[in-house]
Amino acid sequence: MRLFLNPTPIKFIRSLFSSPRSKSPPLRPIRAGSSPSTAIAMATITKSTSLGAVAEEGIARRFWIKFRKESTLALYTPFVVCLASGDLRLDSFRQYVAQDFHFLKTFAQAYELAEECADDDDAKAAISQLRKAVIEELKMHDSFVQEWGSDMVKDCRLNSATVKYTDFLLATASGKVEGVKGPGKLATPFEKTKLAAYTLGAMTPCMKLYAFIGSELQALLDSNKSSRHLYQKWVDNYACESFQASALQTEDLLDKLSVSLTGEELDIIEKLYHQAMKLEIEFFCAQPLNQQTVVPLLTEHKPADNRCLIFSDFDLTCTVVDSSAILAEIAIVTAPKSDQSQAENQIVRMSSADLRNTWGVLSRQYTEEHEQCIERILLPDKAERFYYEGLHKALEQLSVFEKGANSRVIESGVLKGLNLEDIKRAGERLILQDGCTDFFQSIIKNANLNSNIHVLSYCWCGDLIRSAFSSGGLNVLNVHANEFVYDNSVSTGEIVRKVESPIDKVQAFRDILTNHRSEKKDFTVYIGDSVGDLLCLLEADVGIVLGSSSSLRRVGSHFGVSFIPLFPGLVKKQKECVEGSSSSWKGLSGILYTVSSWAEIHAFILGIERFMRQSSRNGGLSTLSYYMSKLSGTLVLSQVIAVRNFVEWPFRGNMLYVDVVALVLMEISSCRPFLDLSTLHK
């Protein structure tokens, strides 16, 4: 158990005990009791803070950041993975070129309409230049036809995804947007400029996405120059400086045309941008493939013959804040003050001040000794290849340390007197990582998958975990964790110790597989973020590391474990894919795959199309943006993006990140005025 204690009580926890429980829908971070009137009175973020600088970025950049999850997911479409690997069937590529040719013709037409609407001479010239670039791109498609000797453009029947995007683009450029007049009815220069901005809003994500994919694929090719790539010419076209410059020019143009627009009009552009992004991804998904692919992972999963078991860690894999910090704050907030007397029939507890001091000592001691233990378990010399036995022995030593740390916590008495209902309420409001709940829900709701989900955690209190998932309708998850001992629903300070260490975790993993043996073959996926997950990650058929724990990578690398970003790993797997063969995923390969979000996990395992359907149910908003939009109609786009960008800053995973996220989100949840967030950088 990682002992994380915040220097000041999290206001989220205080809100659990200072106001009645809200009866609003189950939105985890904002259900702390608060009235609508206080939500409306929420203070805005001023531009004097460090967040204001984020809000002042151009809207094109802000939209790209906001919807970067979708852009990353485009890489995980079967078409792009096969294209990147170079083994995409030629017929599939020809079909794509034919569809894209019609799409580009519409793109050029939309630029022409936008040019007519632009009032500024410089804007007109810029749009004209972009239209000419599209015409050059059409010529490149002609060269593809000549090179491969097949002209499918003439006989090609447009698929539904191509029609949806081209219709959407022309409708936008023609003014068929709610509250916008058509080009022939535009009376003022401002109205014309607004329509040009809307049109660029629907075109910019396509340019940016192709530039992104081109550069990502070029980076892969640069790292593997030993073999000729069949589609090098395509990659070169979208990775080249001229196309990258065109994408940036489109963004700059969108920013310029949007300067004079109102907040409501910027909201329309955001919706157009997001819709265009989704339609572009649907375009990639719609490309026909007549070959075996490694994505989605469960494509090869045959429920009649196989059983898929999904395993996941909890703290900082599923959650934003470590559960030990939550339990500590509950204990401190509900503890009596030093001058308060305690009833004779109650469990004797420390005062809140003594509790905070004791937690601080325990936390510091844990952090220092954990670092020392990591140093001790490393070999004198780094292993030249994967050395599982050595890693297992090293983590046996870490397990002894973890058990000792838990013993100190129990002996200190800091876990005494916590009410079960308070723990459950805290769990229901616990903030989970964006996309985590959606992923689990998608698996559970698909009865055809024959899949089970198991959560393995060091968490001291399984009730906290179950409550966190129950608010998302995930009562059927199998939770394997330690449990509090209660006397009349009040914790005694003792723990039923089940999963305390890396060795306990991997033993629980093995026991689950043993206890559920059947005639069906098991296929296992483990998702984790820390050193304690290493053994499970390696024994699973597919081990996925979420985040960037330095200690996990350091220990793993020391014993020969390879950490490979998931997308390049999938491209390599696709190259190795042999038609008609079974999956090559297997445990104890010494290879772990790294991701930065649950969205990547969702797209890899279940598929991008399933993810897009799930995402569209909440309007495509990120978790934080969604919560904030529900909180108050007074929040404007720049505020939502500012806080979201700040929360997703690079220091994810360390103590400062935990404190910042907790404080920012809990301030939102309690509907109190925002802190001066600039002070949190110090």
Side-chain angles (χ1 to χ4, degrees):
M1 165 58 67
R2 290 164 284 197
L3 283 169
F4 286 155
L5 181 63
N6 300 322
T8 57
I10 299 177
K11 296 189 178 182
F12 156 62
I13 298 297
R14 291 197 178 280
S15 71
L16 298 181
F17 312 104
S18 61
S19 54
R21 186 175 181 178
S22 169
K23 296 182 180 180
S24 58
L27 301 175
R28 231 169 255 106
I30 63 172
R31 287 206 298 170
S34 56
S35 66
S37 60
T38 54
I40 294 173
M42 181 184 293
T44 59
I45 304 173
T46 65
K47 290 186 177 181
S48 63
T49 68
S50 57
L51 296 181
V54 179
E56 290 173 354
E57 285 185 352
I59 63 166
R61 174 63 179 164
R62 298 209 311 263
F63 292 163
W64 176 254
I65 291 172
K66 180 171 184 177
F67 302 121
R68 63 184 171 186
K69 177 169 60 181
E70 281 86 344
S71 65
T72 300
L73 294 176
L75 297 174
Y76 290 89
T77 57
F79 174 81
V80 173
V81 171
C82 290
L83 179 68
S85 71
D87 82 334
L88 178 69
R89 296 276 177 85
L90 200 52
D91 284 348
S92 295
F93 187 72
R94 288 168 178 161
Q95 288 275 1
Y96 158 76
V97 169
Q99 297 290 326
D100 201 40
F101 181 85
H102 289 285
F103 175 77
L104 286 171
K105 286 175 63 179
T106 303
F107 224 68
Q109 190 176 348
Y111 270 137
E112 187 175 0
L113 291 171
E115 184 180 351
E116 291 174 4
C117 289
D119 182 57
D120 181 88
D121 289 340
D122 290 339
K124 280 182 178 292
I127 296 173
S128 176
Q129 185 178 351
L130 289 168
R131 184 168 63 85
K132 291 176 182 177
V134 173
I135 294 172
E136 289 300 314
E137 195 174 346
L138 284 167
K139 292 179 181 178
M140 179 197 71
H141 281 61
D142 289 338
S143 71
F144 287 155
V145 171
Q146 294 172 10
E147 183 173 344
W148 285 302
S150 174
D151 188 357
M152 299 184 66
V153 174
K154 296 177 182 178
D155 303 322
C156 174
R157 183 177 179 179
L158 297 184
N159 64 39
S160 60
T162 305
V163 172
K164 281 174 67 176
Y165 202 159
T166 54
D167 285 355
F168 163 75
L169 202 53
L170 289 179
T172 303
S174 301
K176 295 176 182 177
V177 179
E178 186 177 352
V180 179
K181 300 176 183 178
K185 301 176 182 179
L186 300 176
T188 67
F190 175 75
E191 288 178 330
K192 291 182 178 181
T193 299
K194 180 167 65 175
L195 182 54
Y198 287 169
T199 304
L200 265 292
M203 301 175 77
T204 300
C206 175
M207 294 289 291
K208 184 70 174 176
L209 188 59
Y210 267 83
F212 169 71
I213 293 174
S215 60
E216 289 291 313
L217 268 56
Q218 187 63 63
L220 288 179
L221 297 184
D222 289 344
S223 63
N224 184 24
K225 296 182 178 180
S226 58
S227 59
R228 177 181 175 275
H229 196 282
L230 182 59
Y231 303 109
Q232 180 74 59
K233 187 173 181 179
W234 186 95
V235 175
D236 289 343
N237 179 73
Y238 293 110
C240 69
E241 290 184 8
S242 60
F243 188 86
Q244 297 289 324
S246 292
L248 290 174
Q249 187 179 9
T250 308
E251 287 189 309
D252 292 340
L253 193 55
L254 175 59
D255 290 342
K256 182 176 181 180
L257 293 171
S258 305
V259 167
S260 59
L261 300 188
T262 65
E264 184 177 348
E265 290 160 347
L266 291 176
D267 287 343
I268 292 173
I269 294 181
E270 179 185 349
K271 291 175 182 177
L272 293 170
Y273 189 104
H274 191 207
Q275 179 66 5
M277 180 76 81
K278 291 191 291 185
L279 290 172
E280 185 61 57
I281 294 174
E282 287 180 20
F283 176 76
F284 286 126
C285 290
Q287 302 311 311
L289 294 178
N290 185 26
Q291 66 185 97
Q292 189 170 326
T293 64
V294 297
V295 288
L297 179 64
L298 295 187
T299 300
E300 298 180 25
H301 177 60
K302 299 177 181 178
D305 303 322
N306 302 313
R307 182 185 58 160
C308 181
L309 297 176
I310 307 292
F311 294 85
S312 176
D313 175 46
F314 182 67
D315 285 316
L316 301 184
T317 297
C318 294
T319 69
V320 170
V321 181
D322 192 279
S323 64
S324 62
I326 296 295
L327 293 170
E329 296 298 341
I330 295 174
I332 293 167
V333 170
T334 60
K337 295 181 179 179
S338 56
D339 57 352
Q340 285 181 321
S341 59
Q342 301 182 45
E344 293 182 3
N345 61 344
Q346 289 183 340
I347 294 175
V348 178
R349 302 181 65 188
M350 282 185 265
S351 68
S352 57
D354 289 341
L355 265 174
R356 176 161 294 284
N357 291 334
T358 304
W359 273 114
V361 170
L362 289 170
S363 181
R364 288 189 293 273
Q365 184 178 3
Y366 177 88
T367 301
E368 292 171 4
E369 293 184 3
H370 185 271
E371 291 175 356
Q372 293 168 4
C373 187
I374 293 294
E375 291 292 336
R376 286 197 304 271
I377 66 175
L378 298 179
L379 298 171
D381 298 309
K382 187 176 179 180
E384 295 182 1
R385 51 189 182 194
F386 180 44
Y387 183 28
Y388 182 82
E389 294 77 11
L391 176 61
H392 195 285
K393 289 180 181 178
L395 293 182
E396 287 175 5
Q397 298 178 50
L398 183 62
S399 295
V400 172
F401 161 76
E402 293 286 3
K403 290 176 183 288
N406 278 348
S407 295
R408 285 198 298 268
V409 170
I410 294 169
E411 292 165 4
S412 71
V414 293
L415 297 177
K416 286 184 179 180
L418 278 70
N419 188 284
L420 177 58
E421 286 305 309
D422 292 341
I423 292 170
K424 288 182 176 180
R425 282 194 291 165
E428 289 168 359
R429 294 161 174 80
L430 194 60
I431 304 164
L432 299 185
Q433 296 273 7
D434 188 18
C436 172
T437 300
D438 288 346
F439 173 70
F440 289 149
Q441 286 176 340
S442 293
I443 291 178
I444 289 171
K445 290 177 180 178
N446 192 336
N448 296 325
L449 285 179
N450 187 26
S451 299
N452 293 319
I453 301 173
H454 295 267
V455 177
L456 303 182
S457 175
Y458 288 177
C459 177
W460 294 317
C461 183
D463 292 305
L464 186 73
I465 300 175
R466 286 184 284 272
S467 297
F469 287 123
S470 67
S471 59
L474 296 170
N475 296 308
V476 297
L477 296 190
N478 301 284
V479 175
H480 310 266
N482 305 297
E483 303 287 350
F484 274 0
V485 176
Y486 298 99
D487 182 6
N488 291 325
S489 298
V490 176
S491 65
T492 64
E494 295 294 323
I495 298 174
V496 179
R497 299 160 77 158
K498 298 179 179 179
V499 185
E500 299 183 273
S501 68
I503 302 302
D504 288 347
K505 264 196 176 183
V506 77
Q507 189 58 53
F509 175 86
R510 294 167 182 166
D511 289 344
I512 292 167
L513 295 180
T514 301
N515 295 336
H516 292 80
R517 287 288 181 208
S518 66
E519 295 179 357
K520 296 182 178 181
K521 182 181 178 181
D522 288 332
F523 182 78
T524 56
V525 177
Y526 191 96
I527 305 158
D529 78 296
S530 70
V531 174
D533 298 310
L534 258 176
L535 298 178
C536 294
L537 285 163
L538 289 163
E539 291 203 4
D541 293 312
V542 180
I544 302 175
V545 177
L546 180 64
S548 54
S549 167
S550 58
S551 58
L552 180 147
R553 289 173 181 263
R554 184 184 178 199
V555 173
S557 298
H558 197 82
F559 289 92
V561 177
S562 299
F563 295 90
I564 301 176
L566 181 57
F567 176 66
L570 291 177
V571 172
K572 185 175 184 294
K573 281 281 187 183
Q574 185 63 45
K575 289 179 182 178
E576 300 167 351
C577 184
V578 178
E579 197 72 34
S581 65
S582 59
S583 171
S584 61
W585 304 97
K586 60 180 181 179
L588 296 178
S589 65
I591 297 173
L592 298 179
Y593 297 93
T594 62
V595 299
S596 60
S597 70
W598 277 92
E600 289 184 78
I601 297 170
H602 197 142
F604 165 48
I605 295 176
L606 296 176
I608 182 71
E609 292 172 283
R610 188 180 297 276
F611 173 83
M612 295 299 286
R613 286 198 299 272
Q614 185 76 19
S615 177
S616 65
R617 291 172 188 167
N618 64 7
L621 294 171
S622 71
T623 300
L624 178 57
S625 301
Y626 178 65
Y627 294 145
M628 292 181 72
S629 68
K630 290 291 183 183
L631 254 175
S632 172
T634 62
L635 287 173
V636 298
L637 173 66
S638 61
Q639 295 169 330
V640 173
I641 291 177
V643 176
R644 182 179 185 276
N645 290 347
F646 182 72
V647 168
E648 294 184 357
W649 66 336
F651 299 106
R652 180 184 176 278
N654 66 17
M655 262 308 299
L656 182 56
Y657 172 83
V658 171
D659 286 336
V660 168
V661 171
L663 288 169
V664 172
L665 293 182
M666 302 322 167
E667 285 292 339
I668 295 170
S669 73
S670 59
C671 296
R672 296 187 176 95
F674 279 105
L675 300 169
D676 178 4
L677 298 179
S678 62
T679 62
L680 293 174
H681 282 296
K682 298 177 181 178

